[in-house]
Each structure stands twice: as C-alpha cells, then as structure tokens.
Amino acid sequence: MIGVSRSGYYKWLNRKDKSSIFKDKENEEIKQVLLDVHKNYRGTYGRKRLRLYLNKLGYHINHKRVYRLMKELIKDSSYYSKKSI
C-alpha cells in the first residue's frame, strides 16, 4: 500500500524501538553535563575540549555531536551560532 517491502518495514520497526529512545535519553544526559560545564568554566571550553571532558566521564562521543548539542543549547553564543557579517 505505501510502497515499502515487508522486510524493510519490520526492520525499521525493530530498529526504531531500540536506538532512537536510547539516543534521546543519552542526548539529554549529555546536554545536562554540557550545560554544567559551560556554566562552571564560563563558556571557555570548545567542542574538542568538551569532548575530552565527556570522554573522561565515560561518554564516548564525537566532537561533531558535541557541537550539534551545544548549538541546540546555547543560541546566543557567537561560537556556536552562525556568524554574520
């Protein structure tokens, strides 16, 4: 009816339950840690230093993910927002 194979539908259905809920919870935990670090260190930590800090805490994530989460959290920062001329 919708143009998707049966096996593809069930693969998507099973994957959706496991990965997205876990990622959302983990992202919320990481966002809370990022806000605390940003507040404690007065916004001086960049994405690479934040990634190293999170790795020491046990979160093994990429610096690109840290950048994306910080961009969502801190809208007014000049570093994490798109620069305009």
Side-chain angles (χ1 to χ4, degrees), residues 13-28:
L13 187 64
N14 290 332
R15 184 191 70 204
K16 184 74 172 160
D17 291 339
K18 295 176 185 171
S19 65
S20 69
I21 294 172
F22 177 72
K23 279 278 199 205
D24 291 341
K25 287 182 182 180
E26 187 178 38
N27 280 343
E28 291 302 318

Side-chain angles (χ1 to χ4, degrees), residues 1-84:
M1 254 174 113
I2 58 175
V4 178
S5 67
R6 181 179 292 187
S7 62
Y9 168 73
Y10 284 109
K11 186 176 179 180
W12 173 81
L13 187 64
N14 290 332
R15 184 191 70 204
K16 184 74 172 160
D17 291 339
K18 295 176 185 171
S19 65
S20 69
I21 294 172
F22 177 72
K23 279 278 199 205
D24 291 341
K25 287 182 182 180
E26 187 178 38
N27 280 343
E28 291 302 318
E29 291 175 10
I30 292 171
K31 281 182 182 180
Q32 188 60 42
V33 172
L34 289 174
L35 280 177
D36 292 341
V37 171
H38 184 75
K39 194 182 300 182
N40 290 339
Y41 293 101
R42 296 173 282 151
T44 58
Y45 275 20
R47 68 177 186 262
K48 291 180 182 179
R49 192 186 268 177
L50 285 170
R51 184 191 61 87
L52 291 173
Y53 185 83
L54 289 170
N55 283 342
K56 287 181 183 178
L57 293 179
Y59 297 103
H60 297 288
I61 63 174
N62 195 338
H63 68 277
K64 295 174 194 173
R65 185 173 172 194
V66 172
Y67 178 74
R68 179 180 49 83
L69 293 174
M70 285 301 288
K71 196 163 67 168
E72 291 174 9
L73 288 173
I74 303 170
K75 303 287 185 189
D76 60 341
S77 174
S78 63
Y79 182 78
Y80 292 104
S81 63
K82 190 171 184 175
K83 294 184 178 184
S84 61

